[in-house]
Amino acid sequence: MINSTKLLTNELEKVGFRPVYVPVNEKKRLKVFGVEFVYLYLFGIAVAGVGWLAENLARLFTQGIWDCRFHLLPFISPYALIPFAFRILLGDPDKIAFFGHRVFKAENRKTAVLSNILCLSLICGAVFLGELAIGNMWEKFFGVQLWNYSSFPLQVTQYAGLVPSLAYGGGAYLIFRLVYKPVLKLLQNKVNFKIAKAICCTLGVAIVLDTLAMSLQIIILKQPPVYWSVKVW
């Protein structure tokens, strides 16, 4: 049987066919619409770090404060979900798609512009509704106010408004538009799968545990943890 298979392979190669060998382990990799989960999560870890930095910069310029943002590690885990949302809910800013289904069937400049406008609008809308829902949920169920945008103009409540929604939403859109594809491709090409998996299983898990610790302290003690805070001005 083995000799017959080898003989058939040799004959196929003579007429131009080349067998494609796929490592067995690669078949078992968890993927999200064709992209390995670990690379999306690795990108998410980086975005969580950028989110921590962005929130601190916003607080620094508006309140003169630089702090832990309720975490031990310099990462805010909800931001790690952004690459997954991009992949699953948006697809591509020029060819927006929900769960892999394109919104605009044609591909031209007009549909590309409309796709980007829709993409930006959806991201800003998601930021607005997400902050509104999460902020009110923590206050209603646990009596804790995690942030306050009351000093900003055009606020709906202290938890959501036009300025923060456009700022955070616009930043997320720019990441999706300019950074998402090249960085994801770079990670896939330059970072060994085992190394990426190890980072996700160590740092990635630590970030999740850090968030769980924050949540438990809020639920039990009725206040968010402030491990450190610096008043710059």
Side-chain angles (χ1 to χ4, degrees):
M1 180 66 181
I2 295 176
N3 290 334
S4 299
T5 303
K6 185 176 181 180
L7 180 62
L8 177 61
T9 301
N10 290 337
E11 292 299 321
L12 289 172
E13 289 180 350
K14 289 180 181 179
V15 294
F17 290 93
R18 294 290 183 273
V20 177
Y21 299 99
V22 179
V24 176
N25 291 337
E26 189 170 329
K27 294 180 180 179
K28 298 180 181 179
R29 295 179 183 176
L30 178 61
K31 295 184 178 181
V32 180
F33 286 93
V35 177
E36 285 92 344
F37 175 88
V38 296
Y39 288 111
L40 281 174
Y41 195 11
L42 191 62
F43 193 2
I45 291 173
V47 175
V50 172
W52 183 90
L53 180 62
E55 287 200 8
N56 260 312
L57 287 174
R59 282 173 59 80
L60 179 64
F61 287 118
T62 58
Q63 302 176 41
I65 298 173
W66 190 280
D67 63 23
C68 64
R69 305 305 303 130
F70 314 138
H71 292 77
L72 278 169
L73 300 173
F75 300 93
I76 300 179
S77 59
Y79 287 95
L81 299 176
I82 291 176
F84 293 95
F86 287 163
R87 191 68 186 175
I88 297 171
L89 301 177
L90 298 175
D92 187 298
D94 290 330
K95 297 174 287 187
I96 193 169
F98 300 114
F99 297 95
H101 299 286
R102 295 264 304 272
V103 174
F104 304 105
K105 303 301 180 183
E107 289 189 36
N108 51 53
R109 176 174 290 184
K110 180 180 178 180
T111 58
V113 171
L114 290 175
S115 182
N116 276 270
I117 293 174
L118 179 59
C119 182
L120 176 60
S121 301
L122 288 172
I123 292 175
C124 290
V127 171
F128 177 85
L129 294 176
E131 290 198 311
L132 188 64
I134 293 172
N136 280 287
M137 180 198 72
W138 280 107
E139 182 177 1
K140 181 178 180 179
F141 291 102
F142 306 108
V144 177
Q145 296 182 351
L146 295 181
W147 64 87
N148 191 332
Y149 292 145
S150 298
S151 60
F152 289 83
L154 302 175
Q155 290 306 111
V156 175
T157 69
Q158 72 177 60
Y159 298 117
L162 182 63
V163 174
S165 296
L166 288 177
Y168 289 124
Y173 168 77
L174 290 176
I175 291 176
F176 189 30
R177 177 68 189 169
L178 305 174
V179 179
Y180 175 71
K181 281 186 178 180
V183 170
L184 188 58
K185 185 177 180 179
L186 181 68
L187 291 175
Q188 290 174 308
N189 292 336
K190 299 298 183 180
V191 180
N192 180 272
F193 180 82
K194 291 183 178 179
I195 295 176
K197 184 177 179 181
I199 295 173
C200 292
C201 290
T202 52
L203 180 57
V205 170
I207 291 171
V208 173
L209 293 176
D210 188 15
T211 301
L212 289 175
M214 176 199 71
S215 301
L216 286 174
Q217 180 165 330
I218 292 175
I219 293 171
I220 296 171
L221 301 179
K222 305 300 182 182
Q223 63 180 9
V226 180
Y227 302 109
W228 58 267
S229 179
V230 178
K231 184 70 174 178
V232 179
W233 55 269

